[in-house]
Each structure stands twice: as C-alpha cells, then as structure tokens.
Amino acid sequence: MNDIYYDPFDFEIDANPYPVWKRMRDDAPLYRNEKYDFWALTRFADVKAALHDWRTYSSARGSVLEVIKSGVEIPRGNILFEDPPAHDLHRGLLARVFSPRRMAAIEPEARAYCARSLDPLVGKGGFDFIADLGSQMPMRVIGMLLGIPEQDQEAIRDQIDAGMNLDAGEMPDAEGQRARHGRGAGSFGVDAYADYIAWRRENPADDLITELINARFVDESGVERNLADDELIAYIGLLSAAGNETTTRLIGWLGYLLDKYPEQRQLLVENPQLVASAVEEALRFEAPSPVQARYVMQDVEHYGTRVPEGSVMLLINGAASRDEREYADADRFDIRREANHLSLGYGIHFCLGNALARIEGRVALEEVLKRWPEWQVDHNNAKMARTSTVRGWESLPAFI
Ligand code: HEM
C-alpha cells in the first residue's frame, strides 16, 4: 500500500523520526512492520485510547519491543511491566513513599545539586548539558531518595546507560534486555542491589528504601506481609533507571531547543514564570520516552484491519505529541502553548515520577538561565544516545 518504513532500532530514523511519523499518521495510522513483526499507532486519539485500554494492550510481558519478543521473565515489583491487580498493588505501595513531604523536600536539594555542578563552570566559556548537568542532578536526586551512598551513584547510572545502548541499528537479543529503561532488574546487578538492601536493613535511614522495607501490605493472595527482596530489588532497579535516563534527556532537549529557538529563550529570560510551561512544551515537542510497546491480549481492529491476539503494538506517544489533529501548528515549538501531551504516559502507567521530573526540569532550566541567559550548542561535538527506549542527547556541549 505504501513504502513507509519505521523501526525503533534504526539510528538514522531515530535522529529525526518526525517525517516518517507524520507519514504514518497520515497514510498508515495503523502501521505494520514485517521485519520485526510489530504494529504501531501514531495518532494522538489512538495512542491515548490504547494507553488507557490495559485489558487489550498489556504491559505484563514488558513495554519494550525487544523485551516482549525475547520472552524474558519479568521480575515482580517492576510496575512498568505489570497489569492489575499486581500493578495496582505495587504502584500503590510506591506511591505511598512518593509522598508530598518527600517531593516538597526535593526542590532545594535539586537546586543545590545544580549549583554544585554549574558554579565551577562559570567563566569557563562552555559546558555540556548532559555531562555537567543532565547526567548529574537527576542521579543525585534519585540517589538521595533511595538513600544510595554518593560513591555508588555514578556506577549505577553508568551501568544502566551501558545496558541501554544499542550496538547497531538492529533489534538487540534477549541477553541485553534486562536493564532497558530499568525495565529489567536494572543492570547494576541483582547482587549489588541485594547487598544494598541487606545493608539498609541494618542501617535504617529516612529514605524511600527504608520505608519500603518496613511497609506492610496485603498481597494478591490476601496475605499481609512485607515486600520480599526480589520485589525491593525490582523497585530500586526501576526507579534508578526510570528516574535517571529520561530526565537526563529532558534536560538535554531543553538545552538544544532553546538554542534552536533563541526567541523562545529570550521570552523566558524576560518572563521567568514561563519556565514550567517551557518544560511542558519541551516534553511535548521532543518526548524523551517516545515509544511504549504492548502485548495484544485479544483481537482488535483499527482502520478496517484486524490485529491478532499475541501481536506487539507500539504506541508512539512521540508521534502523537506532534499530531496536527490535536495541536494547531504542531511542529512549532511554543513555550506559551500550555497543551496536554502523552510524553509522561497516560492511564494506569502514567509516570509515577511526573512531579519529580517536572521539578527537576524546571530547576535545571532556572539554574542554567540564572548563570547564562544565552548559549550556542556545539553541533560538531554533540552526540545522540543510541537506545530504543529513550531518545535524546548523550552529549550536548555548548559555548557561552
Ligand atoms: C522527563 C522525565 C520522564 C519521562 C519523559 C518519563 C516518562 C514515562 C512514561 C512515558 C511512562 C509510562 C510508560 C508506559 O506507559 O509503559 C512512565 C512511567 C513511569 N515513570 Fe517516568 N518519566 C520521567 C521521569 C521519571 C522519574 C524522575 C521517575 C521516578 C523517580 C519516574 C518513574 C516512573 C515509574 C515508576 C513509572 C511506571 C508507572 C507505572 O507503570 O505505573 N519517571 N514514565
């Protein structure tokens, strides 16, 4: 019917997927990829409805194409990879410890972490949005939340990054799957997390892990108990990955977009109260996590074609966020837009860290603008990260 080609492993497509996503929305709103055997939805209304419909579109076998295809066993407690009732139970426990008290405490800490990274760079002529800020502050914030000692934080982040990188533009094999977007146990290694939990049991502190270790709850079979080690390990793996990589990419996109659209940056300098809506627009415009995969639980029909039970469906929220059917002038970056988007997900898996991600994005941008109201991206030395789950910059140096 047409010659549209899309897959999430092709680096060239990933560099600028918007033209092909537009063609998919217009000419193949239900897209079929024979090579990797998946289907995809790209229109806003379709993606939103499917994200909501967890009974048809299940996460229980993973929410990454290659994870579902590999059939790896999913550790319990990784809520991204669960359906109700286990999902709701585990999410409820985690939501309990993402308390308003903890979230309120984060902003000044996040600001202090930014200052620690950025102050030594003032007067140096440039800095890297990723190396100096995006890969630092989110890691310290999540480390603080989890209570992970500072000296271990970088090792955890680096191993997660390494676990996510694609080697070539091909679908990775099953072995490489466990760590992707923290959607496995996390590549820091189950042993290291187990040691950490054992140590925390002996050394309780005012942190999320201590709270989770002590939490009592009634499980799916009606038994009241504490979380088991494997569930705690899945939580730590999920949070250290989900809380790091995505926010790192958001900060990179803020640096990139505000350089590309300097009149928008000027607007921000003149109207600092627009920072929060600039973060929202950056999320819409360049979704850091643009593709969510689902396992199709029952035959379903879209645009007159039957998608059989057992298929994999990609819900491309990154394409939905540029849908002209939903947004006026969708390809225009406009920090005053105040539009909804699907970049933090939708439905039962809506990003649990959304408040945190928004605080971190806003604080990072405020702290950069406070020091440098203008910068120029060094495009010759900027580099995109190569992953099939998180899209954005691996390094983004800028001249000031
Ligand atoms: C800009 C930053 C972020 C983006 C773009 C983002 C994006 C997303 C998306 C799209 C989902 C839904 C996935 C799906 O439907 O399968 C999600 C879920 C989730 N996110 Fe985030 N996220 C961000 C930051 C964070 C942070 C900072 C944390 C935690 C500290 C976090 C924790 C989670 C968790 C635990 C889930 C799973 C929720 C569930 O399955 O019920 N995220 N995120």
Side-chain angles (χ1 to χ4, degrees), residues 51 59 63 79-81 87 91 94 98 142 145 181 183 238-239 242-244 246-247 250 283 287-289 292-294 317 342-346 348-354 356-357 360:
L51 284 171
S59 296
S63 59
I79 59 174
L80 263 170
F81 284 4
H87 168 271
R91 180 170 169 125
L94 207 50
F98 266 71
I142 205 74
L145 266 177
H181 195 61
R183 297 173 181 193
L238 171 64
L239 290 180
N244 268 323
T246 44
T247 317
L250 168 63
L283 281 169
S289 174
Q292 319 304 325
R294 297 291 192 261
N317 51 315
L342 302 174
S343 298
L344 293 164
Y346 185 73
I348 63 166
H349 293 282
F350 178 64
C351 179
L352 189 58
N354 72 87
L356 183 52
E360 290 183 328

Side-chain angles (χ1 to χ4, degrees), residues 23 36 76 115 129 159 171 183 242 333 344 369 380 395:
R23 293 192 61 205
Y36 293 115
R76 57 180 186 156
F129 271 91
Q159 294 196 34
M171 180 155 82
R183 297 173 181 193
F333 178 68
L344 293 164
L369 287 169
N380 291 332
S395 68

Side-chain angles (χ1 to χ4, degrees), residues 219-234:
D219 72 11
E220 304 96 297
S221 43
V223 176
E224 186 181 333
R225 63 176 175 93
N226 289 79
L227 286 161
D229 272 13
D230 65 318
E231 292 167 303
L232 287 165
I233 289 168

Side-chain angles (χ1 to χ4, degrees), residues 154-369:
E154 292 201 20
I156 291 181
R157 180 205 59 200
D158 290 348
Q159 294 196 34
I160 288 166
D161 283 3
M164 293 175 75
N165 278 340
L166 293 174
D167 292 332
E170 284 292 315
M171 180 155 82
D173 62 20
E175 282 308 298
Q177 302 321 317
R178 299 172 61 77
R180 311 184 77 72
H181 195 61
R183 297 173 181 193
S187 58
F188 186 50
V190 168
D191 289 350
Y193 287 143
D195 290 349
Y196 172 59
I197 289 167
W199 178 77
R200 252 306 160 238
R201 280 193 202 284
E202 298 299 312
N203 302 276
D206 181 20
D207 62 31
L208 194 146
I209 290 305
T210 304
E211 234 173 276
L212 285 174
I213 287 172
N214 293 329
R216 297 286 296 170
F217 73 106
V218 178
D219 72 11
E220 304 96 297
S221 43
V223 176
E224 186 181 333
R225 63 176 175 93
N226 289 79
L227 286 161
D229 272 13
D230 65 318
E231 292 167 303
L232 287 165
I233 289 168
Y235 272 152
I236 302 179
L238 171 64
L239 290 180
S240 31
N244 268 323
E245 267 292 328
T246 44
T247 317
T248 303
R249 302 300 154 227
L250 168 63
I251 292 170
W253 284 121
L254 285 166
Y256 174 84
L257 287 168
L258 291 168
D259 171 61
K260 189 168 179 190
Y261 303 101
E263 75 293 347
Q264 299 283 309
R265 182 172 57 198
Q266 188 54 34
L267 199 62
L268 266 187
V269 171
E270 286 159 16
N271 306 278
Q273 77 281 6
L274 288 176
V275 169
S277 83
V279 169
E280 269 345 278
E281 178 66 348
L283 281 169
R284 179 190 77 85
F285 203 77
E286 295 285 6
S289 174
V291 180
Q292 319 304 325
R294 297 291 192 261
Y295 181 84
V296 177
M297 298 291 282
Q298 60 206 16
D299 288 8
V300 60
E301 197 178 304
H302 288 282
Y303 302 98
T305 301
R306 190 180 63 93
V307 178
E309 176 193 340
S311 304
V312 176
M313 179 69 86
L314 300 191
L315 306 176
I316 307 185
N317 51 315
S321 294
R322 296 281 194 106
D323 189 350
E324 308 76 1
R325 293 155 195 82
E326 178 70 18
Y327 306 98
D329 213 353
D331 285 331
R332 188 165 50 86
F333 178 68
D334 177 359
I335 63 168
R336 286 167 298 191
R337 189 185 287 268
E338 293 189 0
N340 288 324
H341 55 73
L342 302 174
S343 298
L344 293 164
Y346 185 73
I348 63 166
H349 293 282
F350 178 64
C351 179
L352 189 58
N354 72 87
L356 183 52
R358 287 171 159 138
I359 291 173
E360 290 183 328
R362 177 170 55 74
V363 166
L365 186 50
E366 283 169 355
E367 294 302 310
V368 167
L369 287 169

